[in-house]
Amino acid sequence: NQYTGVYLANRVESKPYQASVMIDGKLKFLGYYATLNEAVYDRLSYMIMNKREYIDRELSEAPDEVISLLKENGILIERNIQ
């Protein structure tokens, strides 16, 4: 998988993707998701709302569809991504 903190877990067939984030050296599990984009979206939402480091690099790697949803939902505001 090309997205940091998002993995194909295969634990639950209906929700095969898992997202997590590192906080103070500890891994925080965010949940299982039906699609890769849902997992990426939830992880980035968490990171933006909690002002996590390294968000710029991860936003630049995110699918355009996820970036659009973050903007539509007011989570990501006027970010220039190249």
Side-chain angles (χ1 to χ4, degrees):
N1 178 346
Q2 64 191 23
Y3 304 109
T4 303
V6 176
Y7 309 94
L8 185 59
N10 290 324
R11 276 189 76 184
V12 180
E13 193 172 311
S14 63
K15 294 184 177 185
Y17 294 95
Q18 169 183 324
S20 58
V21 65
M22 280 292 238
I23 300 174
D24 299 324
K26 295 181 182 176
L27 194 62
K28 176 176 176 52
F29 173 73
L30 299 176
Y32 291 106
Y33 305 87
T35 69
L36 176 62
N37 279 357
E38 287 174 349
V40 172
Y41 173 89
D42 201 46
R43 184 171 192 280
L44 290 174
S45 296
Y46 180 90
M47 291 181 71
I48 291 167
M49 290 188 290
N50 290 282
K51 298 181 174 87
R52 303 309 306 168
E53 295 178 12
Y54 311 114
I55 189 67
D56 291 330
R57 178 181 56 85
E58 294 192 32
L59 285 170
S60 70
E61 296 172 351
D64 291 339
E65 178 183 319
V66 171
I67 297 299
S68 294
L69 283 172
L70 289 168
K71 288 179 179 178
E72 286 174 25
N73 293 327
I75 295 168
L76 182 64
I77 301 168
E78 297 303 316
R79 222 6 138 168
N80 291 327
I81 301 168
Q82 299 183 13

